[in-house]
Amino acid sequence: MPSLAVKLYSIFFKLQQRYVVHNLTKAPIHGADPFGVTSRREESTAASNPSFNDGVATKDIHIDPFSSLCIRIFLPDTVVSPDLVTCEERSKDGAFVYSGYSPQSGAKHKKLPVVLQFHGGAFVGGSNDSVRNDVFCRRIAKLCDVIVVAVGYRLAPESRYPAAFDDGLKVLNWLAKEANLAECGKWMGNGRRRMDAHVFDGFGASMAEPWLAAHGDPSRCVLLGVSCGANIADYMARKAVKAGKLLDPVKVVAQVLMYPFFIGSNPTASEIKLANSYIYDKSTCMQAWKLFLPEEKFDLDHPAANPLIPGREPPLKFMPPTLTVVAEQDWMRDRAIAYSEELRKVNIDAPLLEYKDAVHEFATLDVLLHTPQAQACAEDIAIWVKKYISLRGHEFSY
């Protein structure tokens, strides 16, 4: 059984979630909001810091002018030599201009794999710049030695399905565009290769994101989803398989699904036995699904909710290697286990990590982040992910 501290925290968290979901249910939403929101005022946020604070530099980018879609980039300090960990630029008069990491021109840079991370929050809460997500992404960036791109997708009910899934696809395509722009910038008009060039827009600003251009290797891309973010990650993996070479140079080599937010019309044993379990109970999650899925056709066997409905494309045998993390005290565990089993039946490398006495979001939620079990989970994920990011040229398509 979970510890007394976890039980007490679960009671507080469930009350808070019920309050948030109840208010969202009662709040008037006048039609779909294309711009949307990516965070709630109840969520405490962490400011970005472009210097290598605690071994990781971060920056926020708003990548879509027509919506609130944004990303936070986490860059570990392994990309630079120790004497360049801090960097400060000043104007001629000594006034402060910028303090943070900026890749050196004309130098070869260390390339790191890219992890696209999708936060949890039942599609109605959470954010990519929350304190808890910031801590978790820093941990993954350091343990895996990767660049983490945390996606701030639009939340429901302001932006219902498919907004969050479309946002994930936009980021994947944005990553491909950035990689192609960076490659274009390495060549001069006479065909000679140069290391310090960039493609500039009409205002003279670099169009290629400098951290990703210098250090990102999109041919080793991993999708990592937490709770409802795992649903988005699995959707993204399917889209990447369908796109094939159209996403070049981005190649999804693996995905990590942490306690997926799967559900279906036919309840599993855990959905019945643990319906009132810790952290997230089924009734609150049902309200969240009603706020997220299309109002005119509410169906728990919707492709966004149930990964095992027949006829989903592509066939499972084309899916990338998939690591699934489940918690013993999570009512959603059985469907995630079943999905992992189906992947193994078609010879996909799909290991299952089950943590005893653990609750939903035990490795990513506030105070639980600092427990030995949360640290062990992150380390287990890093061991498996490194197996695939050390390999180049893996491609999954049909």
Side-chain angles (χ1 to χ4, degrees), residues 109-113 215-221 249 251 253 386-396:
H109 300 100
K110 179 180 178 180
K111 294 286 188 178
L112 295 180
H215 301 296
D217 180 4
S219 69
R220 294 178 291 164
C221 180
K251 290 182 174 60
V253 299
K386 285 179 178 178
K387 179 169 66 172
Y388 288 100
I389 60 178
S390 62
L391 302 174
R392 289 180 178 271
H394 260 14
E395 186 170 352
F396 303 91

Short mmCIF file of all heavy atoms in Angstrom, two decimals, residues 109-113 215-221 249 251 253 386-396:
data_model
loop_
_atom_site.label_atom_id
_atom_site.label_comp_id
_atom_site.label_asym_id
_atom_site.label_seq_id
_atom_site.Cartn_x
_atom_site.Cartn_y
_atom_site.Cartn_z
N HIS A 109 29.67 21.35 -33.06
CA HIS A 109 28.93 21.21 -31.82
C HIS A 109 28.52 19.77 -31.58
O HIS A 109 28.26 19.02 -32.52
CB HIS A 109 27.67 22.09 -31.83
CG HIS A 109 27.96 23.54 -32.00
ND1 HIS A 109 27.84 24.18 -33.21
CD2 HIS A 109 28.37 24.48 -31.11
CE1 HIS A 109 28.14 25.47 -33.07
NE2 HIS A 109 28.48 25.67 -31.80
N LYS A 110 28.44 19.41 -30.32
CA LYS A 110 27.98 18.08 -29.94
C LYS A 110 26.49 17.96 -30.25
O LYS A 110 25.71 18.83 -29.92
CB LYS A 110 28.23 17.84 -28.45
CG LYS A 110 27.76 16.48 -27.97
CD LYS A 110 28.03 16.29 -26.48
CE LYS A 110 27.53 14.94 -25.99
NZ LYS A 110 27.79 14.75 -24.54
N LYS A 111 26.13 16.87 -30.90
CA LYS A 111 24.73 16.63 -31.25
C LYS A 111 24.09 15.67 -30.26
O LYS A 111 24.68 14.65 -29.89
CB LYS A 111 24.64 16.03 -32.66
CG LYS A 111 25.09 16.96 -33.77
CD LYS A 111 24.06 18.05 -34.01
CE LYS A 111 24.40 18.89 -35.24
NZ LYS A 111 23.39 19.92 -35.52
N LEU A 112 22.87 16.00 -29.84
CA LEU A 112 22.14 15.17 -28.90
C LEU A 112 20.80 14.75 -29.49
O LEU A 112 20.19 15.49 -30.27
CB LEU A 112 21.89 15.94 -27.60
CG LEU A 112 23.11 16.34 -26.76
CD1 LEU A 112 22.65 17.09 -25.52
CD2 LEU A 112 23.92 15.12 -26.37
N PRO A 113 20.30 13.58 -29.10
CA PRO A 113 18.95 13.17 -29.50
C PRO A 113 17.91 14.14 -28.94
O PRO A 113 18.18 14.91 -28.01
CB PRO A 113 18.79 11.79 -28.87
CG PRO A 113 20.18 11.32 -28.57
CD PRO A 113 20.98 12.56 -28.28
N HIS A 215 22.79 21.77 -31.76
CA HIS A 215 22.95 20.56 -30.94
C HIS A 215 21.91 19.47 -31.16
O HIS A 215 22.08 18.36 -30.65
CB HIS A 215 22.93 20.96 -29.46
CG HIS A 215 24.00 21.94 -29.08
ND1 HIS A 215 25.34 21.64 -29.14
CD2 HIS A 215 23.92 23.22 -28.64
CE1 HIS A 215 26.04 22.70 -28.74
NE2 HIS A 215 25.20 23.67 -28.45
N GLY A 216 20.83 19.75 -31.86
CA GLY A 216 19.77 18.75 -32.01
C GLY A 216 20.03 17.75 -33.11
O GLY A 216 20.48 18.11 -34.20
N ASP A 217 19.75 16.49 -32.84
CA ASP A 217 19.82 15.43 -33.85
C ASP A 217 18.43 14.80 -33.98
O ASP A 217 18.09 13.85 -33.27
CB ASP A 217 20.84 14.36 -33.43
CG ASP A 217 20.94 13.23 -34.46
OD1 ASP A 217 20.27 13.32 -35.51
OD2 ASP A 217 21.68 12.26 -34.19
N PRO A 218 17.59 15.34 -34.87
CA PRO A 218 16.20 14.85 -34.97
C PRO A 218 16.08 13.46 -35.56
O PRO A 218 15.00 12.89 -35.55
CB PRO A 218 15.54 15.90 -35.87
CG PRO A 218 16.65 16.44 -36.70
CD PRO A 218 17.87 16.43 -35.82
N SER A 219 17.19 12.90 -36.09
CA SER A 219 17.13 11.53 -36.59
C SER A 219 17.08 10.53 -35.44
O SER A 219 16.91 9.33 -35.66
CB SER A 219 18.33 11.24 -37.49
OG SER A 219 19.54 11.19 -36.73
N ARG A 220 17.26 11.03 -34.22
CA ARG A 220 17.11 10.19 -33.01
C ARG A 220 16.08 10.88 -32.11
O ARG A 220 16.43 11.54 -31.14
CB ARG A 220 18.45 10.03 -32.30
CG ARG A 220 19.49 9.25 -33.09
CD ARG A 220 20.80 9.17 -32.34
NE ARG A 220 21.47 10.46 -32.27
CZ ARG A 220 22.47 10.72 -31.41
NH1 ARG A 220 22.88 9.80 -30.55
NH2 ARG A 220 23.05 11.91 -31.43
N CYS A 221 14.82 10.74 -32.47
CA CYS A 221 13.73 11.41 -31.76
C CYS A 221 12.93 10.38 -30.96
O CYS A 221 12.54 9.34 -31.48
CB CYS A 221 12.82 12.13 -32.75
SG CYS A 221 11.43 13.00 -31.98
N PRO A 249 14.26 15.27 -41.76
CA PRO A 249 15.16 14.28 -41.16
C PRO A 249 14.70 13.73 -39.81
O PRO A 249 15.45 13.03 -39.14
CB PRO A 249 16.45 15.07 -40.99
CG PRO A 249 16.00 16.45 -40.69
CD PRO A 249 14.76 16.66 -41.50
N LYS A 251 13.17 11.28 -37.28
CA LYS A 251 12.85 9.85 -37.22
C LYS A 251 12.53 9.49 -35.78
O LYS A 251 13.35 9.69 -34.88
CB LYS A 251 14.01 9.00 -37.74
CG LYS A 251 14.25 9.11 -39.24
CD LYS A 251 15.38 8.20 -39.69
CE LYS A 251 15.51 8.21 -41.21
NZ LYS A 251 15.77 9.55 -41.76
N VAL A 253 12.41 7.02 -33.10
CA VAL A 253 13.07 5.73 -32.88
C VAL A 253 12.46 4.95 -31.72
O VAL A 253 12.68 3.75 -31.59
CB VAL A 253 14.58 5.91 -32.66
CG1 VAL A 253 15.24 6.54 -33.89
CG2 VAL A 253 14.86 6.74 -31.42
N LYS A 386 18.37 4.96 -23.87
CA LYS A 386 19.73 5.03 -24.40
C LYS A 386 20.02 3.91 -25.39
O LYS A 386 20.87 4.06 -26.27
CB LYS A 386 20.74 5.00 -23.25
CG LYS A 386 20.82 6.32 -22.48
CD LYS A 386 21.83 6.24 -21.34
CE LYS A 386 21.93 7.58 -20.62
NZ LYS A 386 22.87 7.52 -19.47
N LYS A 387 19.33 2.81 -25.25
CA LYS A 387 19.53 1.69 -26.18
C LYS A 387 19.15 2.08 -27.60
O LYS A 387 19.75 1.60 -28.57
CB LYS A 387 18.70 0.49 -25.71
CG LYS A 387 18.79 -0.73 -26.60
CD LYS A 387 18.17 -1.95 -25.95
CE LYS A 387 16.67 -1.80 -25.77
NZ LYS A 387 16.04 -3.06 -25.30
N TYR A 388 18.16 2.95 -27.73
CA TYR A 388 17.67 3.33 -29.06
C TYR A 388 18.25 4.64 -29.57
O TYR A 388 18.42 4.80 -30.78
CB TYR A 388 16.14 3.37 -29.05
CG TYR A 388 15.56 1.99 -28.99
CD1 TYR A 388 15.11 1.46 -27.79
CD2 TYR A 388 15.53 1.18 -30.12
CE1 TYR A 388 14.61 0.17 -27.72
CE2 TYR A 388 15.04 -0.11 -30.06
CZ TYR A 388 14.59 -0.61 -28.85
OH TYR A 388 14.12 -1.90 -28.80
N ILE A 389 18.58 5.56 -28.69
CA ILE A 389 19.16 6.81 -29.18
C ILE A 389 20.63 6.65 -29.54
O ILE A 389 21.22 7.53 -30.16
CB ILE A 389 18.98 7.96 -28.16
CG1 ILE A 389 19.66 7.63 -26.83
CG2 ILE A 389 17.51 8.27 -27.97
CD1 ILE A 389 19.57 8.74 -25.81
N SER A 390 21.21 5.52 -29.18
CA SER A 390 22.61 5.26 -29.58
C SER A 390 22.68 4.67 -30.97
O SER A 390 23.76 4.52 -31.54
CB SER A 390 23.27 4.31 -28.58
OG SER A 390 22.60 3.05 -28.57
N LEU A 391 21.51 4.31 -31.53
CA LEU A 391 21.45 3.73 -32.87
C LEU A 391 20.97 4.78 -33.86
O LEU A 391 20.02 5.50 -33.60
CB LEU A 391 20.49 2.54 -32.89
CG LEU A 391 20.80 1.39 -31.93
CD1 LEU A 391 19.68 0.36 -31.98
CD2 LEU A 391 22.12 0.74 -32.28
N ARG A 392 21.60 4.86 -35.00
CA ARG A 392 21.19 5.81 -36.04
C ARG A 392 20.50 5.06 -37.17
O ARG A 392 20.77 3.89 -37.43
CB ARG A 392 22.39 6.56 -36.62
CG ARG A 392 22.99 7.57 -35.63
CD ARG A 392 24.18 8.26 -36.29
NE ARG A 392 24.76 9.25 -35.41
CZ ARG A 392 24.38 10.50 -35.36
NH1 ARG A 392 23.41 10.92 -36.14
NH2 ARG A 392 24.98 11.35 -34.55
N GLY A 393 19.64 5.77 -37.88
CA GLY A 393 19.05 5.22 -39.10
C GLY A 393 17.84 4.34 -38.89
O GLY A 393 17.30 3.80 -39.85
N HIS A 394 17.38 4.15 -37.66
CA HIS A 394 16.16 3.37 -37.42
C HIS A 394 14.97 4.13 -38.00
O HIS A 394 14.80 5.30 -37.77
CB HIS A 394 15.95 3.18 -35.92
CG HIS A 394 16.40 1.82 -35.45
ND1 HIS A 394 17.18 1.00 -36.22
CD2 HIS A 394 16.17 1.14 -34.29
CE1 HIS A 394 17.42 -0.12 -35.56
NE2 HIS A 394 16.81 -0.06 -34.39
N GLU A 395 14.14 3.43 -38.74
CA GLU A 395 12.95 4.09 -39.28
C GLU A 395 11.79 3.10 -39.24
O GLU A 395 11.95 1.93 -39.57
CB GLU A 395 13.19 4.55 -40.72
CG GLU A 395 12.04 5.36 -41.27
CD GLU A 395 12.39 6.01 -42.59
OE1 GLU A 395 13.54 5.97 -42.98
OE2 GLU A 395 11.46 6.57 -43.22
N PHE A 396 10.63 3.57 -38.84
CA PHE A 396 9.45 2.72 -38.75
C PHE A 396 8.38 3.33 -39.63
O PHE A 396 7.90 4.43 -39.39
CB PHE A 396 8.97 2.62 -37.30
CG PHE A 396 10.04 2.12 -36.38
CD1 PHE A 396 10.89 3.00 -35.73
CD2 PHE A 396 10.21 0.76 -36.19
CE1 PHE A 396 11.89 2.54 -34.90
CE2 PHE A 396 11.21 0.30 -35.36
CZ PHE A 396 12.05 1.18 -34.70
#
